[in-house]
Short mmCIF file of all heavy atoms in Angstrom, two decimals:
data_model
loop_
_atom_site.label_atom_id
_atom_site.label_comp_id
_atom_site.label_asym_id
_atom_site.label_seq_id
_atom_site.Cartn_x
_atom_site.Cartn_y
_atom_site.Cartn_z
N MET U 1244 171.67 114.06 -134.05
CA MET U 1244 171.74 112.61 -133.70
C MET U 1244 170.36 112.12 -133.70
O MET U 1244 170.08 111.03 -134.10
CB MET U 1244 172.56 112.37 -132.56
CG MET U 1244 172.78 110.91 -132.44
SD MET U 1244 173.84 110.22 -133.66
CE MET U 1244 174.42 108.72 -133.02
N ILE U 1245 169.40 112.94 -133.18
CA ILE U 1245 168.06 112.45 -132.97
C ILE U 1245 167.38 112.21 -134.42
O ILE U 1245 166.57 111.25 -134.46
CB ILE U 1245 167.24 113.41 -132.18
CG1 ILE U 1245 165.90 112.84 -131.81
CG2 ILE U 1245 166.87 114.67 -132.87
CD1 ILE U 1245 165.87 111.86 -130.75
N HIS U 1246 167.80 112.86 -135.40
CA HIS U 1246 167.10 112.75 -136.75
C HIS U 1246 167.63 111.42 -137.26
O HIS U 1246 166.78 110.74 -138.04
CB HIS U 1246 167.45 113.85 -137.63
CG HIS U 1246 166.99 115.22 -137.13
ND1 HIS U 1246 165.72 115.54 -137.05
CD2 HIS U 1246 167.63 116.31 -136.60
CE1 HIS U 1246 165.50 116.71 -136.64
NE2 HIS U 1246 166.69 117.33 -136.28
N VAL U 1247 168.86 111.03 -137.11
CA VAL U 1247 169.26 109.67 -137.51
C VAL U 1247 168.49 108.45 -136.87
O VAL U 1247 168.15 107.62 -137.41
CB VAL U 1247 170.85 109.51 -137.24
CG1 VAL U 1247 171.29 108.10 -137.64
CG2 VAL U 1247 171.65 110.64 -138.06
N ARG U 1248 168.39 108.66 -135.51
CA ARG U 1248 167.57 107.69 -134.75
C ARG U 1248 166.06 107.70 -135.31
O ARG U 1248 165.53 106.44 -135.46
CB ARG U 1248 167.63 107.93 -133.37
CG ARG U 1248 168.99 107.77 -132.79
CD ARG U 1248 169.00 108.08 -131.33
NE ARG U 1248 170.47 108.15 -130.83
CZ ARG U 1248 170.80 108.77 -129.68
NH1 ARG U 1248 169.86 109.42 -129.06
NH2 ARG U 1248 172.08 108.77 -129.35
N MET U 1249 165.45 108.72 -135.54
CA MET U 1249 164.02 108.71 -135.94
C MET U 1249 164.05 108.04 -137.35
O MET U 1249 163.11 107.43 -137.66
CB MET U 1249 163.50 110.17 -136.00
CG MET U 1249 163.36 110.67 -134.56
SD MET U 1249 162.24 109.67 -133.53
CE MET U 1249 160.74 109.98 -134.42
N GLY U 1250 165.06 108.33 -138.16
CA GLY U 1250 165.11 107.82 -139.51
C GLY U 1250 165.25 106.29 -139.49
O GLY U 1250 164.66 105.71 -140.23
N ALA U 1251 166.06 105.89 -138.67
CA ALA U 1251 166.29 104.37 -138.53
C ALA U 1251 164.93 103.70 -137.92
O ALA U 1251 164.58 102.71 -138.50
CB ALA U 1251 167.36 104.11 -137.61
N LEU U 1252 164.38 104.38 -136.95
CA LEU U 1252 163.07 103.94 -136.61
C LEU U 1252 162.00 103.84 -137.65
O LEU U 1252 161.29 102.85 -137.80
CB LEU U 1252 162.56 104.68 -135.36
CG LEU U 1252 161.20 104.24 -134.82
CD1 LEU U 1252 161.21 102.88 -134.23
CD2 LEU U 1252 160.71 105.30 -133.77
N SER U 1253 161.91 104.87 -138.45
CA SER U 1253 160.97 104.91 -139.54
C SER U 1253 161.29 103.78 -140.56
O SER U 1253 160.34 103.17 -141.07
CB SER U 1253 161.01 106.30 -140.15
OG SER U 1253 160.43 107.23 -139.23
N SER U 1254 162.50 103.59 -140.80
CA SER U 1254 162.90 102.55 -141.79
C SER U 1254 162.48 101.21 -141.24
O SER U 1254 161.93 100.33 -142.04
CB SER U 1254 164.45 102.61 -141.95
OG SER U 1254 164.82 103.77 -142.59
N ILE U 1255 162.75 100.95 -139.87
CA ILE U 1255 162.32 99.69 -139.37
C ILE U 1255 160.81 99.48 -139.37
O ILE U 1255 160.26 98.40 -139.68
CB ILE U 1255 162.87 99.53 -137.95
CG1 ILE U 1255 164.42 99.35 -138.04
CG2 ILE U 1255 162.35 98.31 -137.20
CD1 ILE U 1255 165.15 99.52 -136.63
N MET U 1256 160.15 100.48 -139.21
CA MET U 1256 158.68 100.40 -139.09
C MET U 1256 158.09 100.15 -140.56
O MET U 1256 157.27 99.36 -140.79
CB MET U 1256 158.06 101.67 -138.52
CG MET U 1256 158.21 101.91 -137.18
SD MET U 1256 157.73 103.45 -136.43
CE MET U 1256 155.99 103.59 -137.05
N VAL U 1257 158.77 100.79 -141.51
CA VAL U 1257 158.31 100.64 -142.92
C VAL U 1257 158.60 99.17 -143.41
O VAL U 1257 157.65 98.46 -144.01
CB VAL U 1257 158.94 101.60 -143.93
CG1 VAL U 1257 158.80 101.24 -145.31
CG2 VAL U 1257 158.37 102.93 -143.57
N ILE U 1258 159.74 98.65 -143.03
CA ILE U 1258 160.05 97.27 -143.39
C ILE U 1258 159.01 96.31 -142.73
O ILE U 1258 158.53 95.37 -143.37
CB ILE U 1258 161.48 96.84 -142.94
CG1 ILE U 1258 162.42 97.66 -143.85
CG2 ILE U 1258 161.75 95.36 -143.06
CD1 ILE U 1258 163.86 97.65 -143.35
N GLY U 1259 158.77 96.62 -141.42
CA GLY U 1259 157.76 95.76 -140.78
C GLY U 1259 156.37 95.82 -141.37
O GLY U 1259 155.77 94.70 -141.40
N HIS U 1260 155.97 97.12 -141.63
CA HIS U 1260 154.62 97.21 -142.34
C HIS U 1260 154.60 96.50 -143.58
O HIS U 1260 153.43 96.09 -144.00
CB HIS U 1260 154.32 98.66 -142.35
CG HIS U 1260 153.85 99.22 -141.12
ND1 HIS U 1260 154.32 100.47 -140.67
CD2 HIS U 1260 153.03 98.84 -140.07
CE1 HIS U 1260 153.81 100.77 -139.51
NE2 HIS U 1260 153.06 99.77 -139.18
N SER U 1261 155.59 96.41 -144.42
CA SER U 1261 155.54 95.84 -145.70
C SER U 1261 155.81 94.19 -145.66
O SER U 1261 155.28 93.63 -146.43
CB SER U 1261 156.44 96.60 -146.75
OG SER U 1261 157.85 96.43 -146.15
N ALA U 1262 156.65 93.95 -144.83
CA ALA U 1262 157.09 92.50 -144.68
C ALA U 1262 155.98 91.58 -143.90
O ALA U 1262 155.90 90.51 -144.42
CB ALA U 1262 158.39 92.37 -144.01
N GLY U 1263 155.31 92.22 -143.05
CA GLY U 1263 154.31 91.48 -142.34
C GLY U 1263 153.22 90.90 -143.21
O GLY U 1263 153.06 89.63 -143.26
N PRO U 1264 152.59 91.70 -144.02
CA PRO U 1264 151.46 91.20 -144.91
C PRO U 1264 152.10 90.18 -145.99
O PRO U 1264 151.40 89.25 -146.30
CB PRO U 1264 150.97 92.31 -145.52
CG PRO U 1264 151.23 93.47 -144.49
CD PRO U 1264 152.50 93.16 -143.94
N LEU U 1265 153.36 90.51 -146.44
CA LEU U 1265 153.95 89.68 -147.41
C LEU U 1265 154.17 88.32 -146.89
O LEU U 1265 153.91 87.27 -147.44
CB LEU U 1265 155.28 90.31 -147.90
CG LEU U 1265 156.06 89.46 -148.83
CD1 LEU U 1265 155.37 89.42 -150.28
CD2 LEU U 1265 157.41 90.07 -149.06
N VAL U 1266 154.81 88.23 -145.73
CA VAL U 1266 155.06 86.93 -145.10
C VAL U 1266 153.74 86.15 -144.78
O VAL U 1266 153.68 85.03 -145.04
CB VAL U 1266 156.03 87.06 -143.82
CG1 VAL U 1266 156.15 85.82 -143.02
CG2 VAL U 1266 157.32 87.62 -144.26
N THR U 1267 152.82 86.93 -144.18
CA THR U 1267 151.59 86.27 -143.91
C THR U 1267 150.85 85.76 -145.11
O THR U 1267 150.21 84.66 -145.18
CB THR U 1267 150.59 87.23 -143.22
OG1 THR U 1267 151.28 87.78 -141.99
CG2 THR U 1267 149.35 86.61 -142.82
N GLY U 1268 150.90 86.52 -146.19
CA GLY U 1268 150.27 86.07 -147.45
C GLY U 1268 151.00 84.72 -147.96
O GLY U 1268 150.33 83.83 -148.57
N ILE U 1269 152.39 84.82 -147.85
CA ILE U 1269 153.03 83.55 -148.29
C ILE U 1269 152.64 82.35 -147.39
O ILE U 1269 152.37 81.18 -147.99
CB ILE U 1269 154.56 83.79 -148.22
CG1 ILE U 1269 155.06 84.88 -149.35
CG2 ILE U 1269 155.36 82.50 -148.47
CD1 ILE U 1269 156.45 85.30 -149.14
N ILE U 1270 152.46 82.52 -146.20
CA ILE U 1270 152.08 81.42 -145.32
C ILE U 1270 150.72 80.96 -145.64
O ILE U 1270 150.47 79.74 -145.60
CB ILE U 1270 152.17 81.90 -143.76
CG1 ILE U 1270 153.68 82.04 -143.45
CG2 ILE U 1270 151.68 80.88 -142.91
CD1 ILE U 1270 153.89 82.64 -142.03
N ILE U 1271 149.76 81.96 -145.81
CA ILE U 1271 148.41 81.59 -146.17
C ILE U 1271 148.34 80.85 -147.52
O ILE U 1271 147.65 79.86 -147.66
CB ILE U 1271 147.53 82.82 -146.17
CG1 ILE U 1271 147.32 83.36 -144.87
CG2 ILE U 1271 146.23 82.61 -146.92
CD1 ILE U 1271 146.63 84.69 -144.81
N THR U 1272 149.13 81.24 -148.47
CA THR U 1272 149.07 80.57 -149.83
C THR U 1272 149.74 79.19 -149.56
O THR U 1272 149.14 78.17 -150.26
CB THR U 1272 150.12 81.33 -150.75
OG1 THR U 1272 149.59 82.59 -150.91
CG2 THR U 1272 150.17 80.67 -152.09
N ILE U 1273 150.74 78.98 -148.82
CA ILE U 1273 151.37 77.71 -148.71
C ILE U 1273 150.54 76.72 -147.77
O ILE U 1273 150.26 75.62 -148.02
CB ILE U 1273 152.78 77.74 -148.23
CG1 ILE U 1273 153.70 78.37 -149.17
CG2 ILE U 1273 153.37 76.33 -147.73
CD1 ILE U 1273 155.03 78.79 -148.86
N ALA U 1274 150.09 77.19 -146.61
CA ALA U 1274 149.49 76.44 -145.54
C ALA U 1274 148.09 76.65 -145.23
O ALA U 1274 147.45 75.77 -144.54
CB ALA U 1274 150.34 76.56 -144.24
N GLY U 1275 147.54 77.71 -145.59
CA GLY U 1275 146.08 78.02 -145.33
C GLY U 1275 145.88 79.12 -144.42
O GLY U 1275 146.83 79.63 -143.71
N TYR U 1276 144.68 79.53 -144.25
CA TYR U 1276 144.24 80.64 -143.45
C TYR U 1276 144.53 80.45 -141.94
O TYR U 1276 144.95 81.32 -141.29
CB TYR U 1276 142.82 81.04 -143.67
CG TYR U 1276 142.63 81.97 -144.95
CD1 TYR U 1276 142.14 81.30 -146.18
CD2 TYR U 1276 142.93 83.20 -144.99
CE1 TYR U 1276 142.04 82.00 -147.32
CE2 TYR U 1276 142.77 84.02 -146.20
CZ TYR U 1276 142.32 83.31 -147.26
OH TYR U 1276 142.16 84.01 -148.48
N THR U 1277 144.15 79.26 -141.46
CA THR U 1277 144.34 78.92 -140.12
C THR U 1277 145.78 79.16 -139.61
O THR U 1277 146.06 79.76 -138.70
CB THR U 1277 143.99 77.58 -139.74
OG1 THR U 1277 142.66 77.31 -140.15
CG2 THR U 1277 144.10 77.22 -138.31
N GLN U 1278 146.79 78.63 -140.34
CA GLN U 1278 148.10 78.68 -140.12
C GLN U 1278 148.52 80.29 -140.29
O GLN U 1278 149.47 80.63 -139.56
CB GLN U 1278 149.11 77.85 -140.92
CG GLN U 1278 148.96 76.39 -140.50
CD GLN U 1278 147.66 75.73 -141.04
OE1 GLN U 1278 146.93 76.33 -141.85
NE2 GLN U 1278 147.43 74.42 -140.56
N GLY U 1279 148.08 80.89 -141.17
CA GLY U 1279 148.40 82.36 -141.58
C GLY U 1279 148.05 83.13 -140.32
O GLY U 1279 148.84 84.07 -139.88
N PHE U 1280 146.86 82.93 -139.85
CA PHE U 1280 146.39 83.80 -138.65
C PHE U 1280 147.09 83.34 -137.47
O PHE U 1280 147.45 84.18 -136.52
CB PHE U 1280 144.84 83.68 -138.41
CG PHE U 1280 144.08 84.60 -139.34
CD1 PHE U 1280 143.56 84.04 -140.52
CD2 PHE U 1280 143.99 85.95 -139.11
CE1 PHE U 1280 142.81 84.85 -141.37
CE2 PHE U 1280 143.36 86.80 -139.97
CZ PHE U 1280 142.70 86.24 -141.06
N PHE U 1281 147.52 82.10 -137.27
CA PHE U 1281 148.23 81.60 -136.16
C PHE U 1281 149.67 82.22 -136.26
O PHE U 1281 150.25 82.49 -135.12
CB PHE U 1281 148.31 80.01 -136.18
CG PHE U 1281 148.88 79.42 -134.94
CD1 PHE U 1281 148.19 79.50 -133.75
CD2 PHE U 1281 150.12 78.81 -135.01
CE1 PHE U 1281 148.74 78.98 -132.53
CE2 PHE U 1281 150.70 78.32 -133.78
CZ PHE U 1281 149.97 78.35 -132.64
N ALA U 1282 150.18 82.31 -137.36
CA ALA U 1282 151.53 83.03 -137.49
C ALA U 1282 151.51 84.43 -137.00
O ALA U 1282 152.52 85.05 -136.54
CB ALA U 1282 152.11 82.87 -138.98
N GLY U 1283 150.40 85.07 -137.16
CA GLY U 1283 150.30 86.38 -136.55
C GLY U 1283 150.07 86.42 -135.08
O GLY U 1283 150.43 87.34 -134.34
N PHE U 1284 149.30 85.45 -134.68
CA PHE U 1284 148.86 85.35 -133.21
C PHE U 1284 150.07 85.10 -132.24
O PHE U 1284 150.21 85.62 -131.16
CB PHE U 1284 147.76 84.24 -133.06
CG PHE U 1284 147.55 83.88 -131.63
CD1 PHE U 1284 146.81 84.86 -130.85
CD2 PHE U 1284 147.84 82.65 -131.11
CE1 PHE U 1284 146.51 84.41 -129.44
CE2 PHE U 1284 147.60 82.31 -129.82
CZ PHE U 1284 146.94 83.21 -128.98
N VAL U 1285 150.92 84.17 -132.74
CA VAL U 1285 152.09 83.77 -131.84
C VAL U 1285 153.07 84.87 -131.42
O VAL U 1285 153.23 85.09 -130.26
CB VAL U 1285 152.84 82.48 -132.51
CG1 VAL U 1285 154.16 82.33 -131.74
CG2 VAL U 1285 151.95 81.33 -132.57
N PRO U 1286 153.45 85.76 -132.44
CA PRO U 1286 154.41 86.85 -132.05
C PRO U 1286 153.58 87.83 -131.12
O PRO U 1286 154.20 88.38 -130.21
CB PRO U 1286 154.63 87.49 -133.27
CG PRO U 1286 154.46 86.49 -134.44
CD PRO U 1286 153.36 85.49 -133.93
N ALA U 1287 152.30 88.01 -131.44
CA ALA U 1287 151.58 88.94 -130.62
C ALA U 1287 151.47 88.44 -129.20
O ALA U 1287 151.59 89.22 -128.20
CB ALA U 1287 150.08 89.29 -131.14
N LEU U 1288 151.22 87.13 -129.04
CA LEU U 1288 151.07 86.48 -127.72
C LEU U 1288 152.57 86.57 -126.97
O LEU U 1288 152.56 86.85 -125.79
CB LEU U 1288 150.70 85.10 -127.87
CG LEU U 1288 150.43 84.31 -126.45
CD1 LEU U 1288 149.23 84.95 -125.81
CD2 LEU U 1288 150.25 82.87 -126.83
N VAL U 1289 153.65 86.43 -127.65
CA VAL U 1289 155.01 86.43 -127.12
C VAL U 1289 155.10 87.93 -126.68
O VAL U 1289 155.72 88.14 -125.44
CB VAL U 1289 156.00 85.97 -128.20
CG1 VAL U 1289 157.38 86.36 -127.67
CG2 VAL U 1289 155.85 84.51 -128.31
N VAL U 1290 155.04 88.93 -127.51
CA VAL U 1290 155.14 90.29 -127.06
C VAL U 1290 154.32 90.69 -125.90
O VAL U 1290 154.84 91.35 -125.05
CB VAL U 1290 154.94 91.20 -128.30
CG1 VAL U 1290 154.84 92.66 -127.94
CG2 VAL U 1290 155.96 90.92 -129.40
N ALA U 1291 153.07 90.21 -125.88
CA ALA U 1291 152.24 90.57 -124.74
C ALA U 1291 152.77 89.93 -123.49
O ALA U 1291 152.77 90.62 -122.35
CB ALA U 1291 150.83 90.01 -124.96
N GLY U 1292 153.32 88.81 -123.60
CA GLY U 1292 153.95 88.18 -122.38
C GLY U 1292 155.22 88.92 -121.92
O GLY U 1292 155.36 89.11 -120.81
N ILE U 1293 155.95 89.41 -122.81
CA ILE U 1293 157.20 90.13 -122.59
C ILE U 1293 156.83 91.38 -121.85
O ILE U 1293 157.45 91.84 -120.88
CB ILE U 1293 158.07 90.38 -123.82
CG1 ILE U 1293 158.58 89.15 -124.28
CG2 ILE U 1293 159.07 91.46 -123.56
CD1 ILE U 1293 159.28 89.20 -125.73
N PHE U 1294 155.73 92.11 -122.37
CA PHE U 1294 155.29 93.43 -121.63
C PHE U 1294 154.64 93.21 -120.33
O PHE U 1294 154.62 94.15 -119.53
CB PHE U 1294 154.59 94.19 -122.69
CG PHE U 1294 155.27 94.93 -123.69
CD1 PHE U 1294 155.23 94.54 -124.90
CD2 PHE U 1294 156.02 95.95 -123.36
CE1 PHE U 1294 155.89 95.18 -125.98
CE2 PHE U 1294 156.83 96.68 -124.24
CZ PHE U 1294 156.68 96.25 -125.62
N THR U 1295 154.07 92.06 -120.04
CA THR U 1295 153.47 91.81 -118.80
C THR U 1295 154.47 91.43 -117.58
O THR U 1295 154.16 91.69 -116.45
CB THR U 1295 152.39 90.82 -118.80
OG1 THR U 1295 152.99 89.62 -119.26
CG2 THR U 1295 151.30 91.17 -119.67
N VAL U 1296 155.66 90.91 -118.04
CA VAL U 1296 156.58 90.66 -116.94
C VAL U 1296 157.01 91.82 -116.11
O VAL U 1296 156.99 91.79 -114.88
CB VAL U 1296 157.90 89.95 -117.74
CG1 VAL U 1296 158.91 89.68 -116.64
CG2 VAL U 1296 157.40 88.64 -118.25
N PRO U 1297 157.41 92.90 -116.76
CA PRO U 1297 157.83 94.10 -115.83
C PRO U 1297 156.65 94.69 -115.00
O PRO U 1297 156.96 95.35 -114.05
CB PRO U 1297 158.37 95.13 -116.88
CG PRO U 1297 158.46 94.45 -118.15
CD PRO U 1297 157.60 93.20 -118.18
N VAL U 1298 155.50 94.37 -115.38
CA VAL U 1298 154.31 95.07 -114.75
C VAL U 1298 154.10 94.46 -113.48
O VAL U 1298 153.52 95.01 -112.53
CB VAL U 1298 153.11 95.09 -115.62
CG1 VAL U 1298 151.86 95.59 -114.95
CG2 VAL U 1298 153.38 95.75 -116.97
N ARG U 1299 154.33 93.20 -113.30
CA ARG U 1299 154.12 92.44 -112.07
C ARG U 1299 155.31 92.58 -111.03
O ARG U 1299 156.44 92.53 -111.42
CB ARG U 1299 153.99 90.88 -112.39
CG ARG U 1299 152.76 90.60 -113.29
CD ARG U 1299 152.41 89.20 -113.18
NE ARG U 1299 151.26 88.89 -114.16
CZ ARG U 1299 150.04 88.99 -113.63
NH1 ARG U 1299 149.82 89.18 -112.47
NH2 ARG U 1299 149.08 88.79 -114.38
N ASP U 1300 154.90 92.68 -109.80
CA ASP U 1300 155.90 92.78 -108.75
C ASP U 1300 156.31 91.29 -108.34
O ASP U 1300 155.71 90.36 -108.80
CB ASP U 1300 155.36 93.69 -107.61
CG ASP U 1300 154.26 93.28 -106.87
OD1 ASP U 1300 153.80 92.02 -107.24
OD2 ASP U 1300 153.69 93.94 -106.05
N ARG U 1301 157.18 91.28 -107.39
CA ARG U 1301 157.61 90.01 -106.93
C ARG U 1301 156.64 89.08 -106.28
O ARG U 1301 156.63 87.85 -106.25
CB ARG U 1301 158.80 90.07 -105.96
CG ARG U 1301 160.03 90.66 -106.66
CD ARG U 1301 161.17 90.64 -105.86
NE ARG U 1301 162.30 91.27 -106.44
CZ ARG U 1301 163.19 90.68 -107.29
NH1 ARG U 1301 163.10 89.53 -107.52
NH2 ARG U 1301 164.16 91.44 -107.73
N SER U 1302 155.50 89.65 -105.70
CA SER U 1302 154.53 88.86 -104.95
C SER U 1302 153.45 88.22 -106.08
O SER U 1302 152.58 87.50 -105.70
CB SER U 1302 153.74 89.65 -104.01
OG SER U 1302 153.06 90.74 -104.59
N GLY U 1303 153.56 88.64 -107.18
CA GLY U 1303 152.68 88.12 -108.41
C GLY U 1303 151.52 89.08 -108.60
O GLY U 1303 150.70 88.81 -109.48
N ASN U 1304 151.43 90.13 -107.79
CA ASN U 1304 150.32 91.09 -108.07
C ASN U 1304 150.72 92.13 -109.13
O ASN U 1304 151.91 92.43 -109.36
CB ASN U 1304 150.03 91.97 -106.81
CG ASN U 1304 149.68 90.92 -105.73
OD1 ASN U 1304 148.87 89.89 -106.04
ND2 ASN U 1304 149.90 91.19 -104.45
N ILE U 1305 149.66 92.73 -109.76
CA ILE U 1305 149.97 93.73 -110.76
C ILE U 1305 150.50 95.04 -110.13
O ILE U 1305 149.77 95.50 -109.26
CB ILE U 1305 148.82 93.96 -111.69
CG1 ILE U 1305 148.48 92.70 -112.46
CG2 ILE U 1305 149.09 95.20 -112.65
CD1 ILE U 1305 147.30 92.69 -113.38
N ALA U 1306 151.67 95.55 -110.32
CA ALA U 1306 152.09 96.88 -109.78
C ALA U 1306 151.22 98.02 -110.23
O ALA U 1306 150.84 98.08 -111.43
CB ALA U 1306 153.51 96.98 -110.06
N HIS U 1307 151.05 98.90 -109.27
CA HIS U 1307 150.28 100.13 -109.68
C HIS U 1307 151.15 101.37 -109.62
O HIS U 1307 152.05 101.52 -108.99
CB HIS U 1307 149.15 100.36 -108.62
CG HIS U 1307 148.13 99.29 -108.71
ND1 HIS U 1307 147.13 99.09 -109.73
CD2 HIS U 1307 147.86 98.34 -107.87
CE1 HIS U 1307 146.47 98.12 -109.55
NE2 HIS U 1307 146.74 97.54 -108.36
#
């Protein structure tokens, strides 16, 4: 079963590695470089925010 999961993960990673530049290239072609880089910045910012939520404890301090 672990091999099936690893295969699925690899497939998702390959799709992401190939679709990311393709979508960014389309955005850059249509809207320009600023919007293309912004389109990459926004998901990175959202993911960073999602990962910082579990790191903070209830008092607002970073948990160690």
Side-chain angles (χ1 to χ4, degrees):
M1244 189 64 162
I1245 188 78
H1246 298 293
V1247 173
R1248 293 178 188 158
M1249 292 300 294
L1252 176 64
S1253 293
S1254 296
I1255 292 168
M1256 288 174 53
V1257 167
I1258 291 168
H1260 284 134
S1261 59
L1265 176 68
V1266 171
T1267 304
I1269 292 169
I1270 292 170
I1271 288 172
T1272 301
I1273 293 171
Y1276 281 100
T1277 303
Q1278 287 79 7
F1280 280 104
F1281 189 71
F1284 168 73
V1285 170
L1288 188 65
V1289 169
V1290 170
I1293 290 170
F1294 279 111
T1295 57
V1296 170
V1298 175
R1299 297 192 178 272
D1300 61 10
R1301 294 191 185 268
S1302 65
N1304 298 324
I1305 297 176
H1307 296 287

